[in-house]
Amino acid sequence: MSVISSGWANFSYATRNLMRRPFFAIATVSILAIGISACGSVFTLINTILVRPLPFSDFDRLFFLDGAENIFYLYGTNTASFMQQIVQVRSVESSSAFDYGEADFTGQGEPEKLLVMRATPNIFSVLRIPMVRGNTSSWDNPSINGKSIVILTERCWRRKFSLDPEIIGKMIQLNGESRTIVGIAKDGVGLLVGGGEVSGLIPLTPGEDFFHTQSVHYEVICRIRHDFESRTVQDELKSLNNLLREGRDQANTQVRLIPLREKVVGKTGYLLFLLSIAVGVVFVVICADVSALFLARGVERKRELAIMAAMGAGRICLVMVCLTESLLVSMLGGCLGFGLNLWLVGSLLPELLLHLQQGFCVVFDGTVAAFFFAISLLAGVVAGIAPAVRLSFLDLNELLKDSGPGNASRRVSLGLGILLGVEVAAAVTLLMGVG
């Protein structure tokens, strides 16, 4: 109970001090808000791209089969026979080949070019994409309607058909071919094609030049069984590589597994790592700035702290008094930074995400909110601990005898010099990284 009452007393004291010095409070809160918002914005991007689950069931079991496109090209292996060879790998539960390109869309609204994916029949069993309308029975058995079917994505259904509930069975034309809409699939397949906005999926017919291009670039994605690890699958693929190399001169071509997230993210993870370092350096500089302001303000409060010490306040008590004030400032800055980040999520962050990695939508969830709380506490401790400890070591007798700056001012000046050195070092590090 004494701890709670002591904490409340320190909080009330810190609040009164800040209200007596509004310009100091506004300056420190604003500086910290900028640093906290910058850190929070970068973490929002990291959370969206690297932390949150991908929009596929058990996405960690999905792998790209790197090198398959080279086999299609170099060995002349058609899609069906190569997929049959992959099925022989016991650890692979299912696999699907696909390619993609632009197709002329007509039959609803203005004609335009849409991104379309062609895939083998079991693409939905591999990705386990939920259907919003219709089903995949026609897709799983292409002999029902042949190749004259198409499954639209939910985004295309919303944009081109205004969520028409009677969409199933309607006809559209892709590259001049009439196709029947048999289903609406959840969005997400765009991640497989570099984040493009895939509008529809059609069955893959080997040898058909649907996109009217000279070259065909196939990708293969597979789902491994729950009781196998990727290393085991890779070992099993060695036998497949040996089988594919029989009688071939191109013995340097092989297939290997790449996790879905690694394939989708690519170099974006490295860019986010560099961005995190840069923002971290800026955060250190901002904390040093605020720490210097608290330390400089401590010169004015030296007699106040000396009187508190004379009345029986211990060194730990003085540290907690100063630290409570910095934590209060940092939490106010965190709230302001939180609001600023909410504005960025709706304006600037989607544009930045579009340049970094397409196919993702910025999400502000509980993880990001918890990060803001944690980074606000960290900012308060980092910015306030040095001034709090430094001021708690001031000489009581010297302060009571001398109302001028004296030795205390020199000690505080030493602390300011150290903080200035930290800022300069951090700024030089950031400039070197940029250069």
Side-chain angles (χ1 to χ4, degrees), residues 65-105:
L65 203 60
D66 185 54
E69 66 276 7
N70 296 328
I71 294 172
F72 288 138
Y73 176 73
L74 292 175
Y75 299 96
T77 307
N78 62 43
T79 308
S81 63
F82 180 67
M83 300 308 293
Q84 291 176 356
Q85 291 174 336
I86 296 178
V87 172
Q88 297 176 10
V89 180
R90 294 184 302 108
S91 51
V92 175
E93 180 179 310
S94 56
S95 58
S96 177
F98 65 90
D99 68 347
Y100 55 93
E102 289 187 337
D104 294 323
F105 172 87

Short mmCIF file of all heavy atoms in Angstrom, two decimals, residues 65-105:
data_model
loop_
_atom_site.label_atom_id
_atom_site.label_comp_id
_atom_site.label_asym_id
_atom_site.label_seq_id
_atom_site.Cartn_x
_atom_site.Cartn_y
_atom_site.Cartn_z
N LEU A 65 8.85 -24.33 -55.20
CA LEU A 65 9.83 -25.28 -55.72
C LEU A 65 10.73 -24.51 -56.68
O LEU A 65 10.44 -24.40 -57.87
CB LEU A 65 9.12 -26.44 -56.40
CG LEU A 65 9.90 -27.75 -56.51
CD1 LEU A 65 10.28 -28.27 -55.13
CD2 LEU A 65 9.09 -28.79 -57.26
N ASP A 66 11.79 -23.96 -56.13
CA ASP A 66 12.70 -23.13 -56.94
C ASP A 66 13.47 -24.01 -57.91
O ASP A 66 14.01 -25.05 -57.54
CB ASP A 66 13.68 -22.39 -56.02
CG ASP A 66 14.56 -21.44 -56.78
OD1 ASP A 66 14.02 -20.60 -57.52
OD2 ASP A 66 15.80 -21.53 -56.65
N GLY A 67 13.54 -23.58 -59.15
CA GLY A 67 14.23 -24.34 -60.18
C GLY A 67 13.29 -25.09 -61.10
O GLY A 67 13.71 -25.59 -62.14
N ALA A 68 12.02 -25.18 -60.73
CA ALA A 68 11.06 -25.92 -61.56
C ALA A 68 10.90 -25.24 -62.93
O ALA A 68 10.79 -25.92 -63.95
CB ALA A 68 9.72 -26.01 -60.86
N GLU A 69 10.92 -23.90 -62.93
CA GLU A 69 10.75 -23.21 -64.22
C GLU A 69 11.90 -23.51 -65.17
O GLU A 69 11.72 -23.60 -66.38
CB GLU A 69 10.61 -21.70 -63.99
CG GLU A 69 11.84 -20.99 -63.44
CD GLU A 69 11.94 -21.09 -61.94
OE1 GLU A 69 11.15 -21.82 -61.33
OE2 GLU A 69 12.84 -20.45 -61.37
N ASN A 70 13.11 -23.70 -64.60
CA ASN A 70 14.25 -24.06 -65.45
C ASN A 70 14.10 -25.45 -66.04
O ASN A 70 14.49 -25.72 -67.17
CB ASN A 70 15.54 -23.98 -64.64
CG ASN A 70 15.84 -22.57 -64.17
OD1 ASN A 70 15.51 -21.60 -64.84
ND2 ASN A 70 16.44 -22.45 -62.98
N ILE A 71 13.52 -26.35 -65.25
CA ILE A 71 13.31 -27.72 -65.74
C ILE A 71 12.29 -27.71 -66.88
O ILE A 71 12.48 -28.37 -67.90
CB ILE A 71 12.84 -28.62 -64.59
CG1 ILE A 71 13.96 -28.76 -63.56
CG2 ILE A 71 12.42 -29.99 -65.10
CD1 ILE A 71 13.56 -29.48 -62.31
N PHE A 72 11.21 -26.95 -66.73
CA PHE A 72 10.23 -26.86 -67.80
C PHE A 72 10.88 -26.36 -69.09
O PHE A 72 10.60 -26.83 -70.18
CB PHE A 72 9.09 -25.91 -67.40
CG PHE A 72 8.18 -26.47 -66.36
CD1 PHE A 72 7.73 -25.68 -65.32
CD2 PHE A 72 7.76 -27.77 -66.43
CE1 PHE A 72 6.88 -26.19 -64.37
CE2 PHE A 72 6.91 -28.29 -65.48
CZ PHE A 72 6.47 -27.50 -64.43
N TYR A 73 11.78 -25.39 -68.94
CA TYR A 73 12.37 -24.76 -70.10
C TYR A 73 13.51 -25.60 -70.70
O TYR A 73 13.54 -25.86 -71.91
CB TYR A 73 12.90 -23.37 -69.72
CG TYR A 73 13.62 -22.66 -70.84
CD1 TYR A 73 12.91 -22.13 -71.92
CD2 TYR A 73 15.01 -22.52 -70.82
CE1 TYR A 73 13.57 -21.49 -72.94
CE2 TYR A 73 15.66 -21.87 -71.84
CZ TYR A 73 14.94 -21.36 -72.91
OH TYR A 73 15.59 -20.72 -73.92
N LEU A 74 14.42 -26.06 -69.84
CA LEU A 74 15.62 -26.75 -70.33
C LEU A 74 15.33 -28.18 -70.79
O LEU A 74 15.88 -28.65 -71.79
CB LEU A 74 16.69 -26.78 -69.24
CG LEU A 74 17.31 -25.43 -68.86
CD1 LEU A 74 18.26 -25.61 -67.69
CD2 LEU A 74 18.04 -24.83 -70.05
N TYR A 75 14.47 -28.87 -70.08
CA TYR A 75 14.26 -30.27 -70.36
C TYR A 75 13.04 -30.56 -71.22
O TYR A 75 12.81 -31.70 -71.60
CB TYR A 75 14.12 -31.04 -69.03
CG TYR A 75 15.34 -30.94 -68.17
CD1 TYR A 75 15.42 -29.99 -67.17
CD2 TYR A 75 16.43 -31.77 -68.36
CE1 TYR A 75 16.54 -29.86 -66.36
CE2 TYR A 75 17.56 -31.66 -67.58
CZ TYR A 75 17.61 -30.71 -66.58
OH TYR A 75 18.73 -30.61 -65.80
N GLY A 76 12.25 -29.52 -71.45
CA GLY A 76 11.07 -29.74 -72.26
C GLY A 76 10.03 -30.61 -71.57
O GLY A 76 9.19 -31.22 -72.22
N THR A 77 10.09 -30.70 -70.25
CA THR A 77 9.13 -31.51 -69.50
C THR A 77 7.80 -30.77 -69.44
O THR A 77 7.76 -29.63 -69.02
CB THR A 77 9.66 -31.77 -68.09
OG1 THR A 77 10.96 -32.30 -68.18
CG2 THR A 77 8.76 -32.75 -67.36
N ASN A 78 6.70 -31.44 -69.83
CA ASN A 78 5.42 -30.74 -69.76
C ASN A 78 4.93 -30.70 -68.33
O ASN A 78 5.44 -31.41 -67.45
CB ASN A 78 4.38 -31.39 -70.69
CG ASN A 78 4.08 -32.83 -70.31
OD1 ASN A 78 3.93 -33.15 -69.14
ND2 ASN A 78 4.01 -33.70 -71.31
N THR A 79 3.91 -29.89 -68.11
CA THR A 79 3.45 -29.65 -66.74
C THR A 79 2.93 -30.91 -66.08
O THR A 79 3.26 -31.22 -64.93
CB THR A 79 2.33 -28.59 -66.76
OG1 THR A 79 2.79 -27.45 -67.47
CG2 THR A 79 1.92 -28.20 -65.36
N ALA A 80 2.13 -31.69 -66.81
CA ALA A 80 1.49 -32.86 -66.20
C ALA A 80 2.51 -33.90 -65.75
O ALA A 80 2.44 -34.42 -64.63
CB ALA A 80 0.50 -33.47 -67.19
N SER A 81 3.48 -34.21 -66.62
CA SER A 81 4.44 -35.25 -66.25
C SER A 81 5.34 -34.81 -65.11
O SER A 81 5.68 -35.60 -64.22
CB SER A 81 5.29 -35.63 -67.47
OG SER A 81 6.05 -34.51 -67.91
N PHE A 82 5.71 -33.53 -65.09
CA PHE A 82 6.57 -33.06 -63.99
C PHE A 82 5.80 -33.07 -62.67
O PHE A 82 6.35 -33.44 -61.63
CB PHE A 82 7.08 -31.65 -64.31
CG PHE A 82 7.97 -31.09 -63.24
CD1 PHE A 82 9.21 -31.66 -62.98
CD2 PHE A 82 7.57 -30.01 -62.47
CE1 PHE A 82 10.03 -31.17 -61.99
CE2 PHE A 82 8.39 -29.50 -61.49
CZ PHE A 82 9.62 -30.08 -61.25
N MET A 83 4.53 -32.69 -62.69
CA MET A 83 3.74 -32.71 -61.47
C MET A 83 3.56 -34.14 -60.96
O MET A 83 3.51 -34.38 -59.76
CB MET A 83 2.38 -32.06 -61.70
CG MET A 83 2.45 -30.60 -62.15
SD MET A 83 3.46 -29.55 -61.09
CE MET A 83 2.51 -29.57 -59.60
N GLN A 84 3.49 -35.11 -61.88
CA GLN A 84 3.41 -36.51 -61.47
C GLN A 84 4.69 -36.95 -60.77
O GLN A 84 4.65 -37.73 -59.82
CB GLN A 84 3.12 -37.39 -62.67
CG GLN A 84 1.71 -37.22 -63.24
CD GLN A 84 1.51 -38.04 -64.50
OE1 GLN A 84 2.42 -38.69 -65.00
NE2 GLN A 84 0.29 -37.99 -65.03
N GLN A 85 5.82 -36.44 -61.22
CA GLN A 85 7.08 -36.78 -60.57
C GLN A 85 7.16 -36.18 -59.17
O GLN A 85 7.70 -36.79 -58.24
CB GLN A 85 8.26 -36.30 -61.43
CG GLN A 85 8.40 -37.07 -62.73
CD GLN A 85 9.47 -36.48 -63.63
OE1 GLN A 85 9.80 -35.29 -63.52
NE2 GLN A 85 10.00 -37.29 -64.53
N ILE A 86 6.61 -34.99 -58.98
CA ILE A 86 6.62 -34.37 -57.66
C ILE A 86 5.75 -35.17 -56.69
O ILE A 86 6.07 -35.31 -55.51
CB ILE A 86 6.13 -32.91 -57.74
CG1 ILE A 86 7.10 -32.08 -58.58
CG2 ILE A 86 6.00 -32.30 -56.36
CD1 ILE A 86 6.69 -30.64 -58.75
N VAL A 87 4.63 -35.71 -57.21
CA VAL A 87 3.74 -36.49 -56.35
C VAL A 87 4.46 -37.70 -55.76
O VAL A 87 4.13 -38.17 -54.66
CB VAL A 87 2.50 -36.92 -57.15
CG1 VAL A 87 1.64 -37.91 -56.35
CG2 VAL A 87 1.66 -35.71 -57.53
N GLN A 88 5.49 -38.20 -56.46
CA GLN A 88 6.23 -39.35 -55.96
C GLN A 88 7.04 -39.02 -54.71
O GLN A 88 7.49 -39.93 -54.01
CB GLN A 88 7.16 -39.88 -57.06
CG GLN A 88 6.43 -40.38 -58.29
CD GLN A 88 7.38 -40.80 -59.40
OE1 GLN A 88 8.58 -40.90 -59.19
NE2 GLN A 88 6.83 -41.06 -60.58
N VAL A 89 7.26 -37.74 -54.41
CA VAL A 89 7.96 -37.34 -53.19
C VAL A 89 6.99 -37.49 -52.03
O VAL A 89 5.98 -36.78 -51.95
CB VAL A 89 8.47 -35.88 -53.30
CG1 VAL A 89 9.19 -35.48 -52.03
CG2 VAL A 89 9.38 -35.72 -54.51
N ARG A 90 7.25 -38.42 -51.12
CA ARG A 90 6.30 -38.79 -50.09
C ARG A 90 5.94 -37.63 -49.16
O ARG A 90 4.82 -37.55 -48.66
CB ARG A 90 6.86 -39.94 -49.24
CG ARG A 90 7.02 -41.25 -49.98
CD ARG A 90 7.49 -42.35 -49.06
NE ARG A 90 8.75 -42.01 -48.41
CZ ARG A 90 8.86 -41.69 -47.13
NH1 ARG A 90 7.79 -41.65 -46.36
NH2 ARG A 90 10.04 -41.40 -46.61
N SER A 91 6.90 -36.74 -48.91
CA SER A 91 6.66 -35.67 -47.95
C SER A 91 5.83 -34.52 -48.53
O SER A 91 5.38 -33.65 -47.79
CB SER A 91 7.99 -35.12 -47.45
OG SER A 91 8.83 -34.79 -48.54
N VAL A 92 5.61 -34.50 -49.83
CA VAL A 92 4.80 -33.46 -50.46
C VAL A 92 3.34 -33.91 -50.48
O VAL A 92 3.01 -34.93 -51.08
CB VAL A 92 5.29 -33.16 -51.89
CG1 VAL A 92 4.36 -32.17 -52.57
CG2 VAL A 92 6.71 -32.60 -51.85
N GLU A 93 2.49 -33.16 -49.80
CA GLU A 93 1.07 -33.50 -49.74
C GLU A 93 0.37 -33.20 -51.04
O GLU A 93 -0.43 -34.00 -51.55
CB GLU A 93 0.42 -32.74 -48.59
CG GLU A 93 -1.06 -32.99 -48.41
CD GLU A 93 -1.63 -32.21 -47.25
OE1 GLU A 93 -1.05 -32.26 -46.14
OE2 GLU A 93 -2.66 -31.54 -47.45
N SER A 94 0.62 -32.03 -51.60
CA SER A 94 0.03 -31.64 -52.88
C SER A 94 0.86 -30.51 -53.47
O SER A 94 1.61 -29.83 -52.77
CB SER A 94 -1.43 -31.18 -52.70
OG SER A 94 -1.50 -30.12 -51.75
N SER A 95 0.74 -30.33 -54.77
CA SER A 95 1.51 -29.29 -55.46
C SER A 95 0.73 -28.78 -56.65
O SER A 95 -0.20 -29.45 -57.13
CB SER A 95 2.87 -29.83 -55.91
OG SER A 95 2.71 -30.94 -56.78
N SER A 96 1.08 -27.60 -57.09
CA SER A 96 0.38 -26.99 -58.21
C SER A 96 1.34 -26.09 -58.98
O SER A 96 2.19 -25.43 -58.39
CB SER A 96 -0.83 -26.18 -57.72
OG SER A 96 -1.47 -25.53 -58.80
N ALA A 97 1.19 -26.12 -60.30
CA ALA A 97 1.97 -25.22 -61.16
C ALA A 97 1.07 -24.09 -61.65
O ALA A 97 -0.14 -24.28 -61.83
CB ALA A 97 2.54 -25.99 -62.35
N PHE A 98 1.66 -22.92 -61.84
CA PHE A 98 0.87 -21.79 -62.30
C PHE A 98 1.75 -20.81 -63.06
O PHE A 98 2.98 -20.82 -62.94
CB PHE A 98 0.18 -21.08 -61.12
CG PHE A 98 1.13 -20.43 -60.15
CD1 PHE A 98 1.54 -19.11 -60.33
CD2 PHE A 98 1.63 -21.13 -59.06
CE1 PHE A 98 2.41 -18.49 -59.44
CE2 PHE A 98 2.51 -20.53 -58.17
CZ PHE A 98 2.90 -19.21 -58.36
N ASP A 99 1.13 -19.99 -63.85
CA ASP A 99 1.77 -18.83 -64.43
C ASP A 99 0.75 -17.69 -64.41
O ASP A 99 -0.39 -17.87 -63.98
CB ASP A 99 2.32 -19.11 -65.84
CG ASP A 99 1.20 -19.34 -66.85
OD1 ASP A 99 0.04 -19.52 -66.43
OD2 ASP A 99 1.47 -19.34 -68.06
N TYR A 100 1.13 -16.55 -64.88
CA TYR A 100 0.23 -15.40 -64.80
C TYR A 100 0.60 -14.39 -65.87
O TYR A 100 1.71 -14.39 -66.43
CB TYR A 100 0.27 -14.74 -63.43
CG TYR A 100 1.66 -14.33 -62.98
CD1 TYR A 100 2.13 -13.04 -63.21
CD2 TYR A 100 2.50 -15.23 -62.34
CE1 TYR A 100 3.40 -12.66 -62.81
CE2 TYR A 100 3.77 -14.87 -61.93
CZ TYR A 100 4.21 -13.59 -62.17
OH TYR A 100 5.48 -13.21 -61.78
N GLY A 101 -0.35 -13.53 -66.16
CA GLY A 101 -0.13 -12.48 -67.16
C GLY A 101 -1.37 -11.62 -67.28
O GLY A 101 -2.39 -11.83 -66.58
N GLU A 102 -1.32 -10.64 -68.16
CA GLU A 102 -2.46 -9.74 -68.37
C GLU A 102 -3.37 -10.28 -69.46
O GLU A 102 -2.92 -10.86 -70.45
CB GLU A 102 -1.97 -8.34 -68.72
CG GLU A 102 -1.32 -7.60 -67.56
CD GLU A 102 -1.01 -6.15 -67.91
OE1 GLU A 102 -0.89 -5.87 -69.13
OE2 GLU A 102 -0.92 -5.32 -66.99
N ALA A 103 -4.66 -10.08 -69.26
CA ALA A 103 -5.67 -10.50 -70.24
C ALA A 103 -6.67 -9.38 -70.43
O ALA A 103 -6.99 -8.65 -69.49
CB ALA A 103 -6.36 -11.78 -69.76
N ASP A 104 -7.17 -9.26 -71.65
CA ASP A 104 -8.20 -8.25 -71.95
C ASP A 104 -9.54 -8.72 -71.40
O ASP A 104 -10.03 -9.81 -71.74
CB ASP A 104 -8.30 -8.04 -73.47
CG ASP A 104 -7.03 -7.42 -74.05
OD1 ASP A 104 -6.44 -6.57 -73.37
OD2 ASP A 104 -6.62 -7.83 -75.16
N PHE A 105 -10.13 -7.90 -70.54
CA PHE A 105 -11.39 -8.23 -69.90
C PHE A 105 -12.51 -7.43 -70.55
O PHE A 105 -12.44 -6.20 -70.65
CB PHE A 105 -11.32 -7.91 -68.41
CG PHE A 105 -12.64 -8.03 -67.68
CD1 PHE A 105 -13.04 -9.24 -67.17
CD2 PHE A 105 -13.47 -6.93 -67.53
CE1 PHE A 105 -14.25 -9.37 -66.50
CE2 PHE A 105 -14.68 -7.04 -66.88
CZ PHE A 105 -15.08 -8.26 -66.36
#
